[in-house]
Amino acid sequence: MPLDIVIGTQWGDEGKGRAVDLLAQDSHLVARYNGGDNAGHTVTVADKIYKLHVIPTGVIHPQTICILGNGMVVNPYTVIEEMDMLRSAGIEINPDRLMISDAAQLITPGHRLLDRAQDAALGKNQIGTTGRGIGPAYVDKAARSGLRVGEILDRQSFADRLRAHFIEINKLLTILYSQPEIDVELYTSDYLEKAEMIRPYIKRIGPEIQAALKVGKIVLAEGAQGSLLDLEQGSYPFVTSSCTTAAGIFSGLGIGIQAVRKVIGVTKAFQTRVGSGPFPTEQTAEIAEFLRGSGSKPWDEFGTTTGRPRRVGWLDLVLLKYAQEINGITELFLTKLDILSGLEQIQVCVAYEKQGRRLDTLDFSCDAQSLAQCVPVYESLPGWQEDLSRCRRWRDLPVNARVYVETLEQKTGVPIRTISVGSERTATIYRE
C-alpha cells in the first residue's frame, strides 16, 4: 500500500506546493487532510503560476484525482474560484477528478467576520490569523454546532441550518465585538447558491482512498501549514486550529491506521514565519533584506495567503529535528537553496541556551512562552557566490553548497533526497 505523506517542517510556507507538484507526477491520488484556505501553495510551470489554497496542487497533472478530506474546513467560495482559475488555464475539473468529503466542515462569511473581530479584540496580543475563518469554523466543529459539507445534499434542511447559523453569528458580532449586523437573508441566499455549485463533488472519500491503496495505487497525503503550527505540538498559542503533523492523515482522511511508505518533510534552506509568535533565529536589517529578497532579487518572501512580508532568519536545526521526531520524517525536500548564494558565511542554529543551560531537541518545549526564552547557538558554514538556478545534478552544485546540505543531513540524521534551486518546476536536483 504505497501511502506517502508530505509535511511542512517549519511554520508553513516551506514550498510544500512545489514538492507535491513534483511528487504528484507519479501519484494516482493526492489528498488534503487538514486546514482550509489559510494554506497557500504556489507552483510555477513554464510561464504559468498557479496559486492554490484548497485544491491540492496535484490537480495540475491530468492523471491525478484530488481529494479534500474530512479533516478540512472548506469555503465553497474559494473552491469555486480555484476551479474557475484552473479551468481557464486549460485544466479539466470534474467530479471524477475532484472530490470533497461529506464530513468536512464548512466555512461561511460569518466565520470570516468573526475571525477578524476576535483577533482585533486581542489588541497587542493578536495571534495574527489569516482572517479566513479557520479558527471559528474549527471551534464550531468542536462545539458540535458546525455545518458539514454533506448537509448541502438536503437543500431545505441545510437552508434552515444556514439561516440559524447566520443569526447566531449576528449575536456574537454585535454583543461581544460591537460589530454591525449582517443581512441574514442576503448571506443565506448567496451561500446557498455557492453551495449548490459544489454539490456534484461531494461524497464519502475514505472508501475511495482505501480502494486506491488496496490495488497498489500511489496515494499522496498533503498537509497544510507547518508542523510548528500544529494545535498540540506547535508554538502554542501561536498555532493554527488543526493537526498539521503526519499523525493527522488517518483521521483527516477517514482511513484506518496502516503502513506509510515515506514521510517527506519540506524545509527551506532558511527559516521564515508569518504572523506573531516566537522566532529564535529571526534576523533584521541587512540579512533579513537579503533572505526576504527585497530590492532587485527575483524572489520574495510574502505570504501566498496573507500577502504579509514573512519574518526571516537562519535555519533552526533544533526545530527541524523536533519536526522530524513528531512526524517520523524519512527524507527531506530542501527548498530555496539558491537564495543563499552570495553570502560569505551562513549561520545554522544547532542548539539553544536558556537560563544558562544548553538545550537541544530533547530538552526544550515548543510552547511559545518557553521558546521565547531560547537564545540560538550558531555554527558558521562557508557560503558560496555561484548562481545555483541552472544546477540540475548534485555535482553541479558548488562545493560549499554541498557541504551545507551534507551538514544538515549529518545534524538531523535524515537524508535530503530533493533540492530545489529556483521557482520553476525543472529547477530541481534529485539525489540517490
Side-chain angles (χ1 to χ4, degrees):
M1 291 187 179
L3 175 60
D4 300 336
I5 306 172
V6 174
I7 286 292
T9 62
Q10 299 169 316
W11 283 293
D13 303 307
E14 301 94 348
K16 293 183 295 299
R18 169 70 174 281
V20 171
D21 172 57
L22 292 173
L23 293 164
Q25 296 178 85
D26 301 317
S27 302
H28 299 91
L29 192 152
V30 180
R32 268 276 305 272
Y33 63 88
N34 74 302
D37 56 349
N38 53 338
H41 295 169
T42 302
V43 176
T44 302
V45 183
D47 59 344
K48 291 185 178 180
I49 298 176
Y50 301 91
K51 293 189 176 184
L52 296 164
H53 300 273
V54 180
I55 298 175
T57 51
V59 74
I60 297 168
H61 299 279
Q63 87 287 353
T64 306
I65 295 172
C66 292
I67 285 179
L68 309 187
N70 53 270
M72 293 184 65
V73 283
V74 177
N75 186 335
Y77 293 79
T78 306
V79 175
I80 294 163
E81 287 173 7
E82 292 188 1
M83 288 195 297
D84 289 344
M85 180 271 290
L86 291 166
R87 286 188 179 114
S88 68
I91 295 172
E92 184 177 1
I93 301 294
N94 59 57
D96 292 325
R97 290 207 64 216
L98 178 65
M99 304 175 191
I100 305 173
S101 171
D102 61 347
Q105 295 280 314
L106 287 165
I107 298 175
T108 73
H111 287 131
R112 296 179 69 140
L113 290 170
L114 197 58
D115 195 0
R116 294 165 189 165
Q118 288 172 341
D119 207 37
L122 294 173
K124 65 179 182 179
N125 296 317
Q126 287 184 20
I127 293 174
T129 74
T130 60
R132 296 291 183 112
I134 308 301
Y138 274 116
V139 167
D140 280 358
K141 177 179 181 178
R144 293 165 290 182
S145 61
L147 298 164
R148 305 223 300 180
V149 170
E151 295 186 58
I152 292 171
L153 301 177
D154 186 335
R155 288 182 176 87
Q156 187 54 56
S157 174
F158 181 62
D160 293 340
R161 288 261 291 137
L162 187 62
R163 189 172 290 105
H165 162 78
F166 284 127
I167 290 171
E168 184 62 25
I169 289 290
N170 255 345
K171 292 178 183 177
L172 295 172
L173 288 173
T174 57
I175 297 172
L176 292 182
Y177 302 106
S178 301
Q179 297 293 311
E181 282 192 348
I182 61 174
D183 187 325
V184 170
E185 291 306 318
L186 179 62
Y187 272 63
T188 300
S189 174
D190 187 61
Y191 197 88
L192 287 172
E193 180 182 334
K194 296 297 188 294
E196 277 298 305
M197 296 173 72
I198 67 170
R199 169 190 287 270
Y201 302 87
I202 300 170
K203 69 186 309 179
R204 186 174 168 225
I205 54 93
E208 296 286 334
I209 298 170
Q210 204 63 59
L213 288 169
K214 189 173 182 179
V215 296
K217 292 184 177 180
I218 298 174
V219 173
L220 183 64
E222 174 186 359
Q225 288 84 48
S227 299
L228 304 180
L229 292 175
D230 184 78
L231 182 59
E232 296 187 40
Q233 309 294 341
S235 51
Y236 190 89
F238 299 97
V239 294
T240 192
S241 302
S242 66
C243 175
T244 64
T245 61
I249 72 159
F250 302 110
S251 62
L253 294 179
I255 58 176
I257 296 174
Q258 55 201 278
V260 173
R261 185 170 66 169
K262 54 187 174 181
V263 180
I264 302 112
V266 185
T267 181
K268 279 179 181 168
F270 51 99
Q271 203 89 5
T272 65
R273 181 167 198 168
V274 172
S276 305
F279 187 165
T281 64
E282 185 171 12
Q283 298 295 304
T284 57
E286 292 182 9
I287 290 298
E289 292 297 306
F290 183 93
L291 294 175
R292 189 176 291 116
S294 302
S296 60
K297 299 183 181 70
W299 57 84
D300 60 75
E301 283 295 342
F302 296 88
T304 301
T305 299
T306 65
R308 292 178 292 194
R310 295 177 185 138
R311 300 157 62 191
V312 295
W314 299 117
L315 184 60
D316 190 327
L317 294 186
V318 179
L319 292 177
L320 184 54
K321 287 189 287 185
Y322 175 71
Q324 189 275 329
E325 291 173 4
I326 62 177
N327 287 292
I329 290 168
T330 58
E331 64 183 77
L332 290 171
F333 187 121
L334 184 67
T335 65
K336 295 205 170 186
L337 183 64
D338 55 303
I339 303 304
L340 299 182
S341 292
L343 292 169
E344 293 293 335
Q345 294 288 317
I346 301 170
Q347 305 298 314
V348 177
C349 173
V350 296
Y352 295 147
E353 283 188 358
K354 179 182 176 184
Q355 299 173 348
R357 290 181 58 219
R358 184 181 173 106
L359 307 178
D360 62 20
T361 305
L362 296 176
D363 302 314
F364 90 110
S365 171
C366 197
D367 73 89
Q369 184 175 359
S370 177
L371 198 58
Q373 300 174 47
C374 293
V375 178
V377 177
Y378 290 112
E379 284 187 9
S380 183
L381 296 172
W384 59 89
Q385 303 303 309
E386 295 90 338
D387 178 7
L388 306 187
S389 62
R390 295 179 182 270
C391 296
R392 295 296 180 270
R393 297 170 298 181
W394 174 246
R395 64 176 178 267
D396 295 337
L397 291 174
V399 171
N400 287 348
R402 281 181 270 160
V403 169
Y404 184 76
V405 173
E406 289 169 342
T407 300
L408 303 189
E409 287 183 314
Q410 186 270 322
K411 297 289 187 183
T412 61
V414 183
I416 296 174
R417 300 290 190 202
T418 315
I419 303 166
S420 76
V421 290
S423 59
E424 167 57 37
R425 179 188 275 174
T426 60
T428 307
I429 296 170
Y430 297 98
R431 297 175 69 204
E432 294 299 326

